[in-house]
Coordinates of all heavy atoms in Angstrom, one line a residue:
M1 N -9.1 -7.5 0.5 CA -9.2 -6.0 0.6 C -8.7 -5.6 2.0 O -9.1 -6.2 3.0 CB -10.6 -5.4 0.3 CG -10.6 -3.9 0.3 SD -12.2 -3.1 0.1 CE -12.6 -3.8 -1.4
I2 N -7.9 -4.6 2.1 CA -7.4 -4.1 3.4 C -8.4 -3.4 4.1 O -9.3 -2.7 3.6 CB -6.0 -3.3 3.1 CG1 -5.4 -2.9 4.4 CG2 -6.5 -2.0 2.3 CD1 -4.0 -2.4 4.3
S3 N -8.4 -3.6 5.4 CA -9.4 -3.0 6.3 C -9.1 -1.6 6.6 O -8.0 -1.1 6.5 CB -9.6 -3.7 7.6 OG -8.4 -3.6 8.5
E4 N -10.2 -0.8 7.0 CA -10.0 0.5 7.5 C -9.0 0.7 8.7 O -8.3 1.5 8.8 CB -11.4 1.0 8.0 CG -12.4 1.1 6.9 CD -12.3 2.4 6.1 OE1 -11.9 3.4 6.6 OE2 -12.7 2.3 4.8
E5 N -9.1 -0.3 9.6 CA -8.3 -0.3 10.8 C -6.8 -0.4 10.4 O -6.0 0.2 11.0 CB -8.7 -1.4 11.8 CG -10.0 -1.2 12.4 CD -11.2 -1.7 11.5 OE1 -11.0 -2.4 10.6 OE2 -12.3 -1.1 11.8
E6 N -6.5 -1.4 9.5 CA -5.1 -1.4 9.1 C -4.6 -0.2 8.4 O -3.5 0.1 8.6 CB -5.0 -2.7 8.1 CG -5.2 -4.0 8.8 CD -5.1 -5.2 7.7 OE1 -6.1 -5.1 6.9 OE2 -4.2 -5.9 7.8
L7 N -5.4 0.3 7.4 CA -5.0 1.6 6.8 C -4.7 2.7 7.8 O -3.9 3.4 7.7 CB -6.1 1.9 5.8 CG -6.1 1.1 4.4 CD1 -7.3 1.4 3.7 CD2 -4.9 1.3 3.7
D8 N -5.6 2.8 8.7 CA -5.5 3.9 9.8 C -4.2 3.7 10.6 O -3.5 4.6 10.9 CB -6.7 3.9 10.7 CG -6.8 5.2 11.4 OD1 -6.4 6.3 10.9 OD2 -7.2 5.2 12.6
Q9 N -3.9 2.4 11.0 CA -2.6 2.0 11.7 C -1.5 2.5 10.8 O -0.5 3.0 11.4 CB -2.7 0.6 12.0 CG -1.5 0.1 12.8 CD -1.4 -1.3 13.1 OE1 -2.4 -2.0 12.7 NE2 -0.5 -1.8 13.9
Y10 N -1.5 2.2 9.6 CA -0.4 2.6 8.7 C -0.2 4.0 8.5 O 0.9 4.6 8.6 CB -0.5 1.9 7.3 CG -0.3 0.4 7.2 CD1 -0.9 -0.4 6.3 CD2 0.6 -0.3 8.0 CE1 -0.8 -1.7 6.2 CE2 0.8 -1.7 8.0 CZ 0.0 -2.4 7.0 OH 0.2 -3.8 6.8
R11 N -1.3 4.6 8.4 CA -1.2 6.3 8.3 C -0.7 6.8 9.6 O 0.2 7.8 9.5 CB -2.8 6.8 8.0 CG -2.7 8.2 7.8 CD -4.1 8.7 7.6 NE -5.0 8.5 8.8 CZ -5.0 9.4 9.8 NH1 -4.2 10.4 9.9 NH2 -5.8 9.1 10.9
L12 N -1.2 6.4 10.7 CA -0.7 7.0 12.0 C 0.8 6.7 12.2 O 1.4 7.5 12.8 CB -1.7 6.5 13.2 CG -3.2 7.0 13.1 CD1 -3.9 6.3 14.2 CD2 -3.1 8.5 13.3
S13 N 1.2 5.5 11.9 CA 2.6 5.2 12.2 C 3.5 5.8 11.3 O 4.7 6.1 11.7 CB 2.8 3.6 12.2 OG 2.7 3.2 10.8
G14 N 3.1 6.2 10.1 CA 3.9 6.8 9.0 C 5.0 5.8 8.6 O 5.9 6.3 7.8
E15 N 4.8 4.6 8.7 CA 5.8 3.6 8.2 C 5.5 3.4 6.7 O 4.5 3.5 6.2 CB 5.6 2.3 8.9 CG 6.0 2.2 10.4 CD 5.9 0.9 11.0 OE1 6.9 0.1 10.8 OE2 4.9 0.6 11.7
L16 N 6.7 3.0 6.0 CA 6.6 2.7 4.6 C 5.8 1.4 4.4 O 6.0 0.4 5.1 CB 7.9 2.6 4.0 CG 8.8 3.9 3.9 CD1 10.2 3.5 3.3 CD2 8.1 4.8 2.9
V17 N 5.0 1.4 3.4 CA 4.1 0.3 3.1 C 4.3 -0.1 1.6 O 4.7 0.7 0.8 CB 2.6 0.7 3.1 CG1 1.6 -0.4 2.8 CG2 2.3 1.1 4.6
R18 N 4.3 -1.4 1.4 CA 4.5 -2.0 0.0 C 3.1 -2.4 -0.5 O 2.5 -3.3 0.1 CB 5.4 -3.1 0.1 CG 5.5 -3.9 -1.3 CD 6.3 -5.2 -1.2 NE 7.7 -4.9 -0.8 CZ 8.4 -5.3 0.3 NH1 7.8 -6.0 1.2 NH2 9.6 -4.9 0.5
A19 N 2.8 -2.0 -1.8 CA 1.6 -2.5 -2.4 C 2.0 -3.5 -3.3 O 2.7 -3.2 -4.4 CB 1.0 -1.2 -3.1
V20 N 1.6 -4.7 -3.2 CA 2.0 -5.7 -4.0 C 1.0 -6.0 -5.1 O -0.2 -6.3 -4.8 CB 2.3 -7.2 -3.3 CG1 2.6 -8.3 -4.2 CG2 3.2 -6.9 -2.3
R21 N 1.3 -5.6 -6.3 CA 0.3 -5.5 -7.5 C 0.3 -6.9 -8.2 O -0.8 -7.2 -8.8 CB 0.5 -4.4 -8.3 CG 0.4 -3.0 -7.6 CD 0.4 -1.9 -8.4 NE 1.8 -1.7 -9.2 CZ 1.9 -0.8 -9.9 NH1 1.0 0.2 -10.3 NH2 3.1 -0.6 -10.5
D22 N 1.4 -7.5 -8.4 CA 1.4 -8.8 -9.2 C 2.7 -9.6 -8.7 O 3.2 -9.2 -7.7 CB 1.4 -8.5 -10.7 CG 2.6 -7.6 -11.1 OD1 3.6 -7.5 -10.3 OD2 2.6 -7.0 -12.2
G23 N 3.0 -10.6 -9.4 CA 4.1 -11.4 -9.0 C 5.6 -10.9 -9.2 O 6.5 -11.4 -8.7
M24 N 5.7 -9.7 -9.9 CA 7.0 -9.0 -10.1 C 7.2 -8.1 -9.1 O 6.6 -7.1 -8.8 CB 7.0 -8.4 -11.4 CG 6.9 -9.4 -12.6 SD 7.1 -8.7 -14.3 CE 8.6 -8.0 -14.2
E25 N 8.3 -8.2 -8.3 CA 8.7 -7.3 -7.2 C 8.9 -5.9 -7.8 O 8.7 -4.9 -7.1 CB 10.0 -7.9 -6.6 CG 10.3 -7.1 -5.3 CD 11.4 -7.7 -4.5 OE1 11.7 -8.8 -4.7 OE2 11.8 -7.0 -3.5
A26 N 9.4 -5.8 -9.1 CA 9.7 -4.5 -9.7 C 8.5 -3.6 -9.8 O 8.5 -2.4 -10.0 CB 10.3 -4.7 -11.0
N27 N 7.2 -4.3 -9.8 CA 6.0 -3.5 -10.0 C 5.4 -3.2 -8.7 O 4.4 -2.5 -8.6 CB 5.0 -4.3 -10.7 CG 5.5 -4.7 -12.2 OD1 6.2 -3.8 -12.7 ND2 4.9 -5.7 -12.9
D28 N 6.1 -3.5 -7.5 CA 5.6 -3.0 -6.2 C 5.6 -1.5 -6.1 O 6.6 -0.8 -6.6 CB 6.4 -3.6 -5.1 CG 6.2 -5.3 -5.0 OD1 5.3 -5.7 -5.8 OD2 6.9 -5.8 -4.2
V29 N 4.8 -0.9 -5.3 CA 4.8 0.6 -5.1 C 5.0 0.7 -3.6 O 4.3 0.1 -2.7 CB 3.5 1.2 -5.5 CG1 3.6 2.7 -5.0 CG2 3.2 1.1 -6.9
I30 N 6.1 1.4 -3.2 CA 6.4 1.7 -1.7 C 6.2 3.0 -1.4 O 6.6 4.1 -2.2 CB 7.8 1.3 -1.5 CG1 8.1 -0.3 -1.8 CG2 8.3 1.7 0.0 CD1 9.5 -0.8 -1.6
G31 N 5.4 3.4 -0.3 CA 5.1 4.8 0.0 C 4.5 4.8 1.4 O 4.3 3.8 2.0
I32 N 4.0 5.9 1.7 CA 3.4 6.1 3.1 C 1.9 6.4 2.7 O 1.5 7.1 1.8 CB 3.9 7.4 3.8 CG1 5.4 7.2 4.1 CG2 3.1 7.7 5.1 CD1 6.0 8.5 4.6
V33 N 1.1 5.7 3.6 CA -0.5 5.8 3.4 C -0.8 7.2 3.7 O -0.5 7.7 4.8 CB -1.2 4.8 4.2 CG1 -2.7 5.0 4.0 CG2 -0.9 3.4 3.8
V34 N -1.5 8.0 2.7 CA -2.0 9.3 3.1 C -3.5 9.4 3.2 O -4.0 10.0 4.2 CB -1.6 10.2 1.8 CG1 -2.1 11.6 2.1 CG2 -0.1 10.2 1.6
A35 N -4.2 8.7 2.3 CA -5.7 8.6 2.5 C -6.2 7.5 1.7 O -5.5 6.8 1.0 CB -6.2 9.9 1.8
W36 N -7.5 7.3 1.9 CA -8.2 6.1 1.3 C -9.8 6.3 1.2 O -10.2 7.2 1.9 CB -7.9 4.8 2.0 CG -8.4 4.7 3.3 CD1 -9.7 4.3 3.8 CD2 -7.8 5.2 4.6 NE1 -9.7 4.4 5.1 CE2 -8.5 5.0 5.7 CE3 -6.5 5.6 4.7 CZ2 -8.2 5.2 6.9 CZ3 -6.0 5.8 6.1 CH2 -6.9 5.7 7.1
D37 N -10.3 5.7 0.3 CA -11.7 5.7 0.3 C -12.3 4.2 0.2 O -11.5 3.4 0.3 CB -12.4 6.7 -0.8 CG -12.0 6.3 -2.2 OD1 -11.6 5.2 -2.4 OD2 -12.2 7.2 -3.0
D38 N -13.4 4.0 -0.3 CA -14.0 2.6 -0.4 C -13.3 1.8 -1.5 O -13.3 0.5 -1.3 CB -15.5 2.7 -0.8 CG -16.3 3.2 0.3 OD1 -15.9 3.3 1.5 OD2 -17.5 3.6 0.0
E39 N -12.7 2.3 -2.5 CA -12.1 1.6 -3.6 C -10.6 1.8 -3.8 O -9.9 1.1 -4.5 CB -12.8 1.9 -4.9 CG -14.2 1.5 -4.9 CD -15.0 2.0 -6.1 OE1 -14.4 2.5 -7.1 OE2 -16.2 1.7 -6.2
T40 N -10.1 2.9 -3.2 CA -8.6 3.3 -3.5 C -7.9 3.7 -2.2 O -8.5 4.0 -1.2 CB -8.5 4.5 -4.5 OG1 -9.2 5.6 -3.8 CG2 -9.3 4.2 -5.8
V41 N -6.5 3.7 -2.4 CA -5.6 4.0 -1.3 C -4.7 5.0 -2.0 O -4.1 4.7 -3.2 CB -4.8 2.8 -0.8 CG1 -3.8 3.4 0.2 CG2 -5.8 1.8 -0.2
V42 N -4.4 6.2 -1.3 CA -3.4 7.1 -1.9 C -2.0 6.8 -1.1 O -2.0 7.0 0.1 CB -3.8 8.5 -1.7 CG1 -2.8 9.5 -2.2 CG2 -5.3 8.7 -2.4
L43 N -1.0 6.6 -1.9 CA 0.4 6.5 -1.2 C 1.2 7.6 -1.6 O 1.1 8.2 -2.8 CB 1.0 5.2 -1.6 CG 0.5 3.9 -1.2 CD1 1.3 2.8 -1.6 CD2 0.3 3.8 0.3
R44 N 2.1 8.2 -0.7 CA 3.1 9.2 -1.0 C 4.4 8.5 -1.2 O 4.9 7.9 -0.2 CB 3.2 10.2 0.0 CG 4.3 11.3 -0.4 CD 4.4 12.3 0.6 NE 3.2 13.2 0.6 CZ 2.5 13.4 1.9 NH1 3.0 13.0 3.0 NH2 1.5 14.2 1.9
K45 N 5.0 8.5 -2.5 CA 6.2 7.9 -2.7 C 7.4 8.7 -2.2 O 7.1 10.0 -1.8 CB 6.4 7.7 -4.2 CG 5.2 6.6 -4.7 CD 5.3 6.6 -6.2 CE 6.6 6.2 -6.7 NZ 6.7 5.9 -8.1
A46 N 8.6 8.3 -2.2 CA 9.8 8.9 -1.7 C 10.0 10.2 -2.5 O 10.6 11.2 -1.9 CB 11.0 8.1 -1.7
S47 N 9.6 10.3 -3.7 CA 9.8 11.4 -4.6 C 8.8 12.5 -4.4 O 8.7 13.5 -5.1 CB 9.7 10.9 -6.1 OG 8.3 10.4 -6.4
R48 N 8.0 12.3 -3.4 CA 6.8 13.1 -2.9 C 5.6 13.2 -3.9 O 4.7 13.9 -3.7 CB 7.3 14.6 -2.8 CG 8.4 14.7 -1.6 CD 8.6 16.1 -1.3 NE 9.8 16.2 -0.4 CZ 10.5 17.3 -0.3 NH1 10.2 18.4 -1.0 NH2 11.5 17.3 0.5
R49 N 5.7 12.3 -4.9 CA 4.5 12.1 -5.8 C 3.6 11.3 -5.1 O 3.9 10.4 -4.3 CB 4.9 11.5 -7.1 CG 5.8 12.4 -7.9 CD 6.2 11.8 -9.3 NE 7.1 12.6 -9.9 CZ 6.6 13.2 -11.1 NH1 5.5 13.1 -11.7 NH2 7.5 14.0 -11.6
V50 N 2.2 11.5 -5.3 CA 1.2 10.6 -4.8 C 0.8 9.7 -5.9 O 0.6 10.1 -7.1 CB 0.0 11.4 -4.1 CG1 0.6 12.1 -2.9 CG2 -0.5 12.4 -5.0
I51 N 0.3 8.5 -5.5 CA -0.1 7.6 -6.5 C -1.5 6.9 -5.9 O -1.6 6.6 -4.7 CB 0.8 6.5 -6.8 CG1 0.3 5.6 -8.0 CG2 1.3 5.8 -5.6 CD1 1.3 4.7 -8.7
K52 N -2.5 6.8 -6.7 CA -3.7 6.2 -6.3 C -3.8 4.8 -6.7 O -3.7 4.5 -7.9 CB -4.9 7.0 -6.9 CG -6.2 7.0 -6.3 CD -7.2 7.9 -7.0 CE -8.5 8.1 -6.2 NZ -9.3 9.0 -6.8
L53 N -4.0 3.8 -5.8 CA -3.9 2.5 -6.1 C -5.3 1.8 -5.5 O -6.0 2.3 -4.6 CB -2.8 1.7 -5.3 CG -1.4 2.3 -5.7 CD1 -0.4 1.7 -4.7 CD2 -1.1 1.8 -7.1
S54 N -5.7 0.7 -6.2 CA -6.8 -0.1 -5.8 C -6.6 -0.6 -4.4 O -5.6 -1.1 -3.9 CB -7.0 -1.2 -6.7 OG -8.1 -2.1 -6.3
R55 N -7.7 -0.8 -3.6 CA -7.6 -1.4 -2.3 C -7.6 -2.9 -2.4 O -7.3 -3.6 -1.4 CB -8.9 -1.0 -1.4 CG -8.7 0.3 -0.7 CD -9.9 0.7 0.2 NE -10.0 -0.1 1.4 CZ -10.8 0.1 2.4 NH1 -11.6 1.2 2.2 NH2 -10.9 -0.5 3.4
S56 N -7.7 -3.4 -3.5 CA -7.8 -4.8 -3.7 C -6.4 -5.4 -3.8 O -6.1 -6.6 -3.5 CB -8.5 -5.2 -4.9 OG -7.9 -4.8 -6.1
Y57 N -5.3 -4.6 -3.9 CA -4.0 -4.9 -3.8 C -3.6 -5.5 -2.4 O -4.3 -5.0 -1.4 CB -2.9 -3.9 -4.3 CG -3.2 -3.5 -5.7 CD1 -3.0 -2.2 -6.1 CD2 -3.3 -4.4 -6.7 CE1 -3.1 -1.8 -7.4 CE2 -3.4 -4.1 -8.1 CZ -3.3 -2.8 -8.3 OH -3.4 -2.4 -9.7
R58 N -2.6 -6.2 -2.3 CA -2.1 -6.6 -0.9 C -1.1 -5.5 -0.4 O -0.2 -5.0 -1.0 CB -1.4 -7.9 -0.9 CG -1.1 -8.5 0.5 CD -0.4 -9.8 0.4 NE 0.7 -9.7 -0.4 CZ 1.1 -10.6 -1.3 NH1 0.4 -11.8 -1.4 NH2 2.2 -10.4 -2.0
Y59 N -1.4 -5.1 0.8 CA -0.6 -4.0 1.5 C 0.2 -4.7 2.7 O -0.5 -5.3 3.5 CB -1.4 -2.8 1.9 CG -1.9 -2.1 0.7 CD1 -3.2 -2.5 0.2 CD2 -1.2 -1.1 0.1 CE1 -3.6 -1.7 -0.9 CE2 -1.8 -0.4 -0.9 CZ -3.1 -0.7 -1.4 OH -3.6 0.0 -2.5
E60 N 1.4 -4.4 2.8 CA 2.3 -5.0 3.8 C 3.4 -4.0 4.2 O 3.7 -3.1 3.4 CB 2.9 -6.3 3.5 CG 3.6 -6.3 2.2 CD 4.0 -7.7 1.7 OE1 3.2 -8.7 1.9 OE2 5.1 -7.9 1.1
L61 N 4.0 -4.1 5.4 CA 5.1 -3.2 5.8 C 6.3 -3.4 4.8 O 6.7 -4.6 4.4 CB 5.5 -3.4 7.2 CG 4.6 -2.9 8.2 CD1 5.1 -3.3 9.6 CD2 4.4 -1.4 8.1
A62 N 6.9 -2.3 4.4 CA 8.0 -2.4 3.4 C 9.2 -3.0 4.1 O 10.1 -3.6 3.4 CB 8.3 -1.1 2.8
S63 N 9.4 -2.9 5.4 CA 10.5 -3.3 6.2 C 10.4 -4.9 6.3 O 11.5 -5.5 6.6 CB 10.6 -2.6 7.5 OG 9.3 -3.1 8.3
S64 N 9.3 -5.5 6.1 CA 9.3 -6.9 6.2 C 9.6 -7.6 4.9 O 9.6 -6.9 3.8 CB 7.8 -7.3 6.7 OG 6.9 -7.0 5.7
E65 N 9.8 -8.9 5.0 CA 10.1 -9.6 3.8 C 8.9 -9.7 2.9 O 7.8 -9.9 3.3 CB 10.5 -11.1 4.1 CG 11.0 -12.0 3.0 CD 12.5 -11.5 2.7 OE1 13.1 -11.0 3.4 OE2 12.8 -11.8 1.4
R66 N 9.1 -9.5 1.6 CA 8.0 -9.6 0.5 C 7.4 -11.0 0.6 O 8.1 -11.9 0.3 CB 8.4 -9.2 -0.8 CG 7.4 -9.1 -1.8 CD 8.0 -8.8 -3.2 NE 7.0 -8.4 -4.2 CZ 6.3 -9.2 -5.0 NH1 6.6 -10.5 -4.9 NH2 5.5 -8.9 -5.8
S67 N 6.0 -11.1 0.8 CA 5.5 -12.4 0.8 C 5.1 -12.8 -0.6 O 5.1 -12.0 -1.5 CB 4.2 -12.4 1.6 OG 3.3 -11.4 1.2
A68 N 5.0 -14.1 -0.9 CA 4.6 -14.7 -2.2 C 3.4 -14.2 -2.8 O 2.4 -14.0 -1.9 CB 4.7 -16.2 -2.1
F69 N 3.3 -13.9 -4.0 CA 2.1 -13.4 -4.6 C 1.1 -14.6 -4.9 O 1.6 -15.6 -5.3 CB 2.5 -12.7 -6.0 CG 1.3 -12.3 -6.7 CD1 0.6 -11.0 -6.2 CD2 0.7 -12.8 -7.7 CE1 -0.5 -10.6 -6.9 CE2 -0.4 -12.4 -8.5 CZ -1.0 -11.3 -8.1
E70 N -0.2 -14.4 -4.5 CA -1.1 -15.4 -4.8 C -2.2 -14.8 -5.7 O -2.6 -13.7 -5.5 CB -1.8 -15.7 -3.4 CG -0.8 -16.3 -2.4 CD -1.5 -16.5 -1.1 OE1 -2.8 -16.4 -1.0 OE2 -0.7 -16.8 -0.2
V71 N -2.6 -15.5 -6.7 CA -3.6 -15.1 -7.7 C -4.9 -15.2 -7.2 O -5.4 -15.8 -6.4 CB -3.5 -16.0 -9.0 CG1 -4.6 -15.6 -10.0 CG2 -2.1 -15.9 -9.5

């Protein structure tokens, strides 16, 4: 699970973040961290829609290379 400090750093920087949900790159969600609570993270996508995702997903910078998915 991603820490509060990491989420706050992503929110303050305004950088695009990739939420890796499974092994398929097509299922990744890319957006800007807007808010979070104990179980979820809210990302704003490029289309300005917001999506609520589980904090258990792996979050990484979208500008970096996608790391391998681990079960």
Side-chain angles (χ1 to χ4, degrees):
M1 183 182 304
I2 189 165
S3 71
E4 297 278 329
E5 292 79 20
E6 288 176 297
L7 285 168
D8 196 40
Q9 182 181 2
Y10 288 147
R11 182 184 64 83
L12 291 173
S13 71
E15 293 184 80
L16 288 176
V17 174
R18 172 187 294 117
V20 179
R21 301 189 291 178
D22 57 23
M24 294 182 61
E25 189 171 350
N27 292 337
D28 292 354
V29 177
I30 297 177
I32 298 171
V33 175
V34 177
W36 62 89
D37 61 18
D38 291 340
E39 298 176 4
T40 59
V41 175
V42 178
L43 294 183
R44 178 181 296 126
K45 297 171 51 169
S47 65
R48 297 188 189 160
R49 293 181 184 247
V50 293
I51 186 168
K52 199 174 198 180
L53 301 167
S54 171
R55 271 183 79 169
S56 65
Y57 295 142
R58 187 179 55 219
Y59 293 88
E60 55 191 36
L61 289 175
S63 59
S64 65
E65 190 72 25
R66 185 181 193 269
S67 56
F69 179 75
E70 299 171 11
V71 177

